[in-house]
Amino acid sequence: MKTHCFFLLPLLFLTGFPAADSISPNETRSKKAKLPKIKKENNVLLLKKSNFDRALKETKYLLVEFYVSFSGSPHNLSEEFAEAARQLKKEAPRIQFGKIDVTHQHDLRQEFNIQEFPTVKFFVDGSREDPVDCKGVRQASTFITWVKRRTGPSTVLINSTDQAEAIINADDLAVIGFFKELHNDSVEVFCETARDVPEMPFGMTASKDVHANYGIQKNTLVVFKKGKPVHHEVLEDGKQTTTDLTRLIKTFTLDLVTEYNLETSVKIFDVPVENHILLFTPTNSETFNEIYENYKSAAMEFRGKIIFVLVNTNETRNGRVFEYFRIRDIDVPAVRILNLTSNAQYKMPADEVTMKNLKEFCQSYLNGKAKLHLPSEEIPEDWDKRPVKVLVGKNFNRIVFNKTMTVFVMFYAPWSTDCRKLLPIWDKLGEQYESRKDITIAKIDITANDILSVGLDRYPFFTLFPAGPDNQEVAYAGEYTLEAFSEFLEEQSKTKAEPGKKDSSEGMKEDLSRKDAVIREKEEL
């Protein structure tokens, strides 16, 4: 090697040193590519659309909080998020935390399917494809556990009884997987479940001594609460899924019956069980103890399938819940089931809150036989006298699916600050299109009227129902300004099908028949 070096020295002097203007294009590009570091605030990267892709490429693991400025990032969440970033700064530098305001970044919201705020997602190896949702995490320690389990082992391997006891007593809740061998489908499902439940320690063992100490003979998941086993779930390959186990385990973060209040509401919605049953009753009534015991007994049978919630009707701070379910003083005690995915409500047909009636109601719902409860306000006498038409459950389908008129609807909640800010803008939009015979601007109070035929979203939300039998409703995803609403309407008006044009498609006829059936069903209620 030295011979080659000496041989090259004379050649270097003969050819001369490269001039400044003879730097190769690649060298020029590399110099230009040296960009300043992305700014941080409290160890969290300050992201925006222009540097988002770059941040992904420069980090192995990136946990990103998406928020909107009008609702802001909850102060506690921001502090916990930043604290987790600080603790992992030296311990795991490959893991970065970032936040981005997507108030006006509708393309990013759509790309990553962000429906609520704040939303936290985990990106790996710079890929924008299929980031992992980090749901229900609000504590710094839980954020740290969550990312560690995503980037390394998700469970602790237990080899002794002492080690098992240490994990079981480390926190209020702990989960241990007992397996005959550590190489099967159930072990994989168990480890994947641990990644989704960072709130509690997870361990697994194939030790015969540990099995014998706890009297376990089959592959079994055991949930421990305050050092004592509270649930045994026998695991069989192919029978349980990660979702099944996550749903079951997280229910133990709640009491068997959880009373609704500001503190518990967050925990209730963090548990990934979409079926909630609510008992509305005053807790100081003479019959409360009997009703509560019946409710609690029924809850034991449906754990992991339905979350049992108690709503004290004497608590004035629960007013919005009463309003949402349209519960009046004369209705209590009342029992409702709410499906969080469809927002569908079901009313227990029996008046008495007995264990038998509760079990029959819950089983009927799970079997798909419970009848939908579809309340509606009465149609106001002046519903069509103003530029913005007032819709209720009883006239909604007849107006929006009339086939001859394009209807742009605002779905709102009267107590929502965001909705109240937008109502004057919506009134101006109604005035702007008041003279148009082919367009109707309308609004509906979604807290007082249940709509069967429309998928609901986080209010306020807006949907356009174009004229014509072959036109599907269009969800509005633009900015909440008069100009943006108007531009959307004009654009949709240009692209809609010509009035009176018929489609011989059988599929479309079936769809139209379905909507007509929905209209008839709703108007009969």
Side-chain angles (χ1 to χ4, degrees):
M1 291 297 294
K2 290 182 179 180
T3 304
H4 289 291
C5 289
F6 282 117
F7 175 78
L8 288 172
L9 280 172
L11 182 62
L12 182 63
F13 281 105
L14 286 172
T15 56
F17 290 99
D21 59 355
S22 65
I23 296 175
S24 69
N26 288 336
E27 290 176 303
T28 303
R29 280 196 294 270
S30 67
K31 286 187 177 182
K32 289 183 178 179
K34 290 183 179 179
L35 299 171
K37 289 184 177 180
I38 298 173
K39 292 182 179 180
K40 286 187 175 182
E41 181 180 84
N42 296 328
N43 300 298
V44 177
L45 293 168
L46 298 177
L47 303 176
K48 48 189 177 181
K49 187 177 180 180
S50 60
N51 67 14
F52 186 76
D53 198 49
R54 177 184 156 204
L56 289 177
K57 291 178 180 178
E58 291 180 355
T59 54
K60 173 70 174 176
Y61 303 110
L62 182 61
L63 192 65
V64 180
E65 176 194 355
F66 297 84
Y67 69 95
V68 288
S69 56
F70 61 78
S71 66
S73 172
H75 185 62
N76 289 340
L77 178 65
S78 293
E79 287 187 348
E80 298 292 329
F81 197 71
E83 176 60 21
R86 185 191 68 78
Q87 291 185 34
L88 286 177
K89 184 178 181 181
K90 292 183 179 179
E91 182 183 345
R94 293 194 306 169
I95 301 172
Q96 293 288 325
F97 286 61
K99 62 181 180 180
I100 181 169
D101 183 351
V102 290
T103 304
H104 303 295
Q105 305 299 334
H106 296 283
D107 50 346
L108 285 179
R109 287 158 64 169
Q110 185 172 3
E111 178 183 357
F112 299 122
N113 190 31
I114 298 172
Q115 303 291 334
E116 56 188 37
F117 305 97
T119 288
V120 180
K121 290 181 179 284
F122 188 56
F123 297 83
V124 179
D125 291 330
S127 174
R128 301 174 75 104
E129 300 295 324
D130 299 321
V132 181
D133 286 320
C134 180
K135 293 183 176 180
V137 179
R138 289 178 175 81
Q139 303 277 332
S141 59
T142 315
F143 275 120
I144 292 171
T145 302
W146 192 92
V147 293
K148 281 185 174 180
R149 289 183 183 178
R150 288 284 167 183
T151 57
S154 60
T155 66
V156 176
L157 183 60
I158 298 171
N159 295 311
S160 68
T161 301
D162 288 343
Q163 195 178 3
E165 286 295 313
I167 292 174
I168 291 168
N169 293 299
D171 212 330
D172 284 349
L173 289 167
V175 181
I176 306 293
F178 296 84
F179 300 97
K180 292 183 178 180
E181 58 175 21
L182 298 178
H183 302 286
N184 56 50
D185 291 343
S186 292
V187 172
E188 289 184 15
V189 171
F190 180 81
C191 291
E192 187 60 35
T193 301
R195 293 187 176 96
D196 289 333
V197 189
E199 298 91 341
M200 59 194 77
F202 272 67
M204 64 180 183
T205 183
S207 166
K208 293 181 180 179
D209 291 340
V210 178
H211 278 66
N213 186 70
Y214 292 97
I216 305 296
Q217 296 180 346
K218 299 180 179 180
N219 289 346
T220 305
L221 177 156
V222 181
V223 179
F224 292 85
K225 191 166 188 176
K226 295 183 178 179
K228 296 181 179 180
V230 292
H231 183 79
H232 289 69
E233 185 78 10
V234 176
L235 302 176
E236 299 177 21
D237 285 357
K239 182 178 180 181
Q240 290 95 349
T241 66
T242 301
T243 302
D244 293 334
L245 294 185
T246 300
R247 184 184 295 127
L248 173 66
I249 293 167
K250 283 206 170 188
T251 60
F252 287 93
T253 62
L254 300 172
D255 293 330
L256 198 56
V257 173
T258 303
E259 182 173 352
Y260 181 90
N261 54 47
L262 291 176
E263 181 182 347
T264 61
S265 63
V266 176
K267 295 180 180 180
I268 290 170
F269 290 105
D270 278 348
V271 177
V273 176
E274 65 177 4
N275 308 313
H276 291 191
I277 185 170
L278 299 96
L279 167 63
F280 296 87
T281 186
T283 56
N284 62 352
S285 70
E286 294 180 359
T287 59
F288 173 74
N289 288 336
E290 181 183 354
I291 289 174
Y292 181 77
E293 287 304 316
N294 291 335
Y295 196 58
K296 192 174 180 180
S297 297
M300 294 181 67
E301 188 169 323
F302 296 96
R303 183 151 216 166
K305 299 176 182 177
I306 302 175
I307 291 179
F308 279 63
V309 180
L310 169 67
V311 183
N312 181 7
T313 55
N314 283 340
E315 176 55 70
T316 56
R317 287 175 292 185
N318 291 336
R320 289 184 179 178
V321 184
F322 310 149
E323 181 181 329
Y324 182 84
F325 286 92
R326 266 77 73 187
I327 300 295
R328 301 166 298 174
D329 290 340
I330 60 172
D331 296 325
V332 297
V335 179
R336 301 283 189 274
I337 286 180
L338 173 68
N339 181 286
L340 297 186
T341 302
S342 65
N343 284 321
Q345 292 184 34
Y346 301 81
K347 179 181 178 181
M348 188 170 77
D351 292 329
E352 294 185 8
V353 185
T354 65
M355 188 167 64
K356 178 176 180 293
N357 289 338
L358 287 165
K359 287 184 176 181
E360 287 180 354
F361 178 44
C362 291
Q363 197 57 59
S364 173
Y365 167 75
L366 293 175
N367 293 341
K369 296 181 179 179
K371 187 178 180 181
L372 272 171
H373 180 58
L374 296 168
S376 168
E377 292 179 301
E378 294 301 320
I379 302 175
E381 293 183 3
D382 61 345
W383 73 272
D384 60 347
K385 299 296 188 291
R386 297 180 181 179
V388 175
K389 313 309 175 190
V390 179
L391 304 182
V392 296
K394 292 184 176 181
N395 69 352
F396 181 86
N397 288 314
R398 176 165 53 85
I399 301 303
V400 301
F401 298 128
N402 64 17
K403 309 173 191 176
T404 62
M405 182 81 69
T406 292
V407 185
F408 198 13
V409 183
M410 174 185 184
F411 297 82
Y412 73 98
W415 46 261
S416 164
T417 302
D418 295 334
C419 292
R420 288 200 298 267
K421 288 179 181 177
L422 288 170
L423 283 171
I425 296 175
W426 202 246
D427 287 337
K428 290 181 181 179
L429 186 70
E431 293 170 2
Q432 185 174 324
Y433 285 88
E434 187 174 13
S435 61
R436 291 283 293 267
K437 302 299 182 184
D438 59 332
I439 294 177
T440 293
I441 308 299
K443 64 181 179 181
I444 183 168
D445 177 358
I446 202 61
T447 68
N449 300 277
D450 284 336
I451 308 302
L452 179 64
S453 53
V454 176
L456 303 182
D457 201 347
R458 183 180 182 273
Y459 37 70
F461 65 96
F462 306 84
T463 303
L464 183 79
F465 299 87
D470 58 344
N471 285 320
Q472 299 297 309
E473 50 264 30
V474 181
Y476 177 77
E479 295 183 3
Y480 295 164
T481 65
L482 179 62
E483 293 76 14
F485 286 134
S486 182
E487 287 177 10
F488 172 75
L489 260 177
E490 294 302 325
E491 181 182 339
Q492 291 297 322
S493 296
K494 291 177 183 177
T495 58
K496 72 176 184 177
E498 295 178 7
K501 185 177 179 180
K502 294 184 179 180
D503 190 342
S504 58
S505 165
E506 288 299 318
M508 190 54 64
K509 288 180 180 178
E510 291 177 6
D511 182 64
L512 189 56
S513 297
R514 180 186 65 81
K515 286 186 175 179
D516 286 341
V518 168
I519 294 172
R520 289 195 300 272
E521 177 185 346
K522 191 64 178 287
E523 291 180 342
E524 286 172 0
L525 295 174

